[in-house]
Amino acid sequence: MTSAGQELPVGDPVLEVRDLRMSYGPKEVLGGIGFTARPGEVIALLGPNGAGKTTTIEILEGFRRRSAGHVRVLGVDPEHGDERWRARLGVVLQSWRDHGKWRVRELLEHIGLHYAAFGTERTPRPWPVDDLLEAVGLTAAGKTRVNRLSGGQRRRLDVAIGIVGRPELLFLDEPTVGFDPAARREFHDLIHELTDLADTTVLLTTHDLDEAEKLADRILILSGGQIIASGSADELSRRVAGETEIRWTRDGQRFVHSTADATAYVHDLFRQHGAAIGDLEVRRSSLEDTYMKLVQDSERDR
């Protein structure tokens, strides 16, 4: 077994979960879920409220003891993770940490000192504060007291605190709540940088399906304590829909047709009607369509 302070061999799973179960009294919240994650992979955990997302994250972070199952995070059972092991994790929670009277730069420098003792050749620590402030869009707020930040700025600070130690594994719980579109795009670029350049593994929970589609290599849909689907956004859409909706106009009339082979159908359409075809639209199922159908089917089955 890998000790808490030992780096994970390259290529080994960062997350390894098998038959994870969690019950509160007679109520089973997780009914035997399993998945793995590799270095540099972004996994989005989606599901309705009460599906078990938060419980799963808390178990992986070592904040909650599971009822049963095999769990390894960076090679360590999170129930036994020590301080050195925790220093290899980054956590961005939904709630803002109250560091009210600190100035932003001073707070990040102070937290960075904690990580400095745990630096490795793979992940030198901590992140330079100027670079970090720029990455999360807080350069201009570096001398501002935390209790004077806006809600959006506080959320950016949460993200900065989560990544200041250059984590090998980053937990993101609704990370861009309160971000404007420009800040959200910059944050997405930052996540791509972390995964591409530093091989950071990310486990993301979000209700923003567009965000999940942009960031995630793999999406897990959780419902009723079970993983009901796993795959890329494209794979999930093909699995659920199977058909593409084609819309067009001809001679002032509007037409709609669903087909499993959109390319062949459109080719045949133009062969028959040529320039008479107008306003052609080919619509494949979105991640939102897929998610809603899978969750509704799961709830109906239960």
Side-chain angles (χ1 to χ4, degrees), residues 125-178:
R125 307 183 191 272
W127 191 309
V129 173
D130 285 337
D131 294 347
L132 181 58
L133 290 172
E134 182 179 359
V136 298
L138 286 177
T139 299
K143 296 182 180 180
T144 304
R145 293 190 185 279
V146 172
N147 58 12
R148 294 183 180 178
L149 297 176
S150 68
Q153 288 175 320
R154 289 176 179 177
R155 193 64 188 139
R156 296 185 193 198
L157 179 59
D158 277 341
V159 173
I161 291 171
I163 66 176
V164 64
R166 297 181 184 267
E168 295 173 53
L169 172 61
L170 179 61
F171 294 100
L172 298 175
D173 193 4
E174 299 286 343
T176 56
V177 172

Side-chain angles (χ1 to χ4, degrees), residues 1 15-21 33 56 59-62 66 68-79 85:
M1 181 184 297
L15 289 172
E16 186 177 9
V17 179
R18 295 198 305 269
D19 196 30
L20 174 58
R21 297 178 180 274
I33 69 170
T56 300
I59 290 172
L60 298 179
E61 292 169 344
R66 62 191 181 273
H70 172 91
V71 179
R72 292 294 180 271
V73 177
L74 295 171
V76 175
D77 184 334
E79 290 186 13
W85 173 80

Side-chain angles (χ1 to χ4, degrees), residues 165-208:
R166 297 181 184 267
E168 295 173 53
L169 172 61
L170 179 61
F171 294 100
L172 298 175
D173 193 4
E174 299 286 343
T176 56
V177 172
F179 280 28
D180 58 39
R184 184 175 290 108
R185 177 175 294 181
E186 290 171 358
F187 176 74
H188 292 171
D189 290 342
L190 173 61
I191 294 303
H192 288 307
E193 180 180 343
L194 288 171
T195 56
D196 293 344
L197 300 182
D199 260 357
T200 303
T201 303
V202 177
L203 184 60
L204 164 76
T205 67
T206 181
H207 288 290
D208 185 338

